[in-house]
Amino acid sequence: MEYRRLGNSGLIVSALSLGSMQFGKGMNMGSLDQKATSEMVKFALERGVNFFDTADVYSRGESETLLGNALKGIREEIVLATKVRLPMSDTNFNRSGSTRVNILRGLESSLRRLQTDYLDLYQVHGWDSNTPLEETLTTLDDLVRRGMVRYIGFSNYMAWQAATALGIQRQRGLEPFVTAQMYYSLVGRDLEHEFISFAQYHNLGILVWSALAGGFLSGKYTQPGKASPGTRFAEAGQFVPFDWRRSQPVLRALRKVAERHGVSMARVAYAWTVRQPMVSSVIVAARKLEHLEDNLQAIHLKLSEADLRLLQRASDPGTPYPKWMVLQLDQAEDPRPKVLEPERFAKGGPWEDLRFRKP
Ligand SMILES: NC(=O)c1ccc[n+]([C@@H]2O[C@H](COP(=O)([O-])OP(=O)(O)OC[C@H]3O[C@@H](n4cnc5c(N)ncnc54)[C@H](OP(=O)(O)O)[C@@H]3O)[C@@H](O)[C@H]2O)c1
């Protein structure tokens, strides 16, 4: 396994972490019971995973409960993250959102289910346009000061939303977000338009979700609406949006690279994702241990320049405005001395130095 810093913090996490939407019955994403959950957690730990991500909303608390049982006795050995914000009740409006009331109640419930008295990372699961941002940020700051939460992060924010939050945190001396949990895959490279350069500027660590686009990039789905029984798309449907027709070149490129290395397409997709700039950890998921084994091996797969070019060409997200203008201005002749060289970031710069392997 390879280890990295959790965003701008000093905490060390495995570059591949374990996701937990498949734990519990409520989401039809594997419906793993306690025995299967415990087996999967043990399997991941044995392969060097030390970082576990869950959310209160996954099967409405069941995922946290199963994960909490599986982690009994080893709490200090691992890094534990959960989330709050999405509805936990169909009838009580206030059991939803990033309000002070819901965050405090949500945290107490998550800690109880996870059988711990602190979280390493507490994340707001999405922007809440109904709640003043200051209310959310001061509440999160308070949790860190009270020792209930070590670090805070957000998920699914737009760059301007995250920039606004970081600005308020800095201005008011509040605990800053250290991570952004975001969707990023070879059929969903939207983060490259704006978010990644934003994350670079602020040294935010990206935690990637759905790097396989829900399993699509494993190559096992051939047509929309047709999925073999016992798969995510058959049981829970397609959650991540992508264009099936335009995604075919990506599948072909993945297949070609996978054949070159004699590995699965899923492994190639994870290997590509984990090498992208600003990624602290890619959250891996599986319902079967053999898939988890395959996916965790991605950390050892070294893609060649030719592999990367092929994948890049097939999945190129384009360069929308204003990014193309920003790039043009960066490259234009400028008599002033360069203050910040873009290469410093592109080639890794301070970020690259943070990568290290377990002795
Ligand atoms: N912050 C957020 O809003 C958010 C949203 C979504 C997810 N997440 C987090 O990110 C984690 C990962 O998301 P995800 O589950 O959607 O990830 P994903 O990697 O896109 O999909 C994982 C699914 O793909 C299939 N799969 C995995 N490995 C495979 C392999 N080697 N061969 C064939 N099929 C394979 C499995 O589904 P089947 O075997 O069931 O077909 C597995 O459950 C979640 O568990 C959760 O912790 C966060």
Side-chain angles (χ1 to χ4, degrees), residues 20 53 155-156 181 209-210 212 214 220 232 270 287 295:
S20 53
D53 177 76
S155 181
N156 307 314
Q181 188 174 134
W209 62 263
S210 288
L212 296 185
K220 68 185 176 187
R232 167 90 63 94
Y270 276 122
R287 76 165 80 194
N295 301 344

Side-chain angles (χ1 to χ4, degrees), residues 18-22 29-30 53-54 58 83 86 125 155-156 181-182 208-216 218 220-221 230-233 235 239-240 264 266-267 270 283-288 290-292 294-295:
L18 186 65
S20 53
M21 289 198 311
Q22 69 280 25
M29 292 199 177
D53 177 76
T54 184
Y58 298 164
K83 316 182 195 80
L86 300 183
H125 213 149
S155 181
N156 307 314
Q181 188 174 134
M182 307 296 288
V208 177
W209 62 263
S210 288
L212 296 185
F216 176 71
S218 71
K220 68 185 176 187
Y221 300 109
T231 60
R232 167 90 63 94
F233 283 19
E235 292 175 3
F239 169 61
V240 171
S264 71
R267 197 183 299 188
Y270 276 122
I283 309 173
V284 165
R287 76 165 80 194
K288 299 176 187 157
E290 61 262 35
H291 282 168
L292 184 61
D294 184 16
N295 301 344

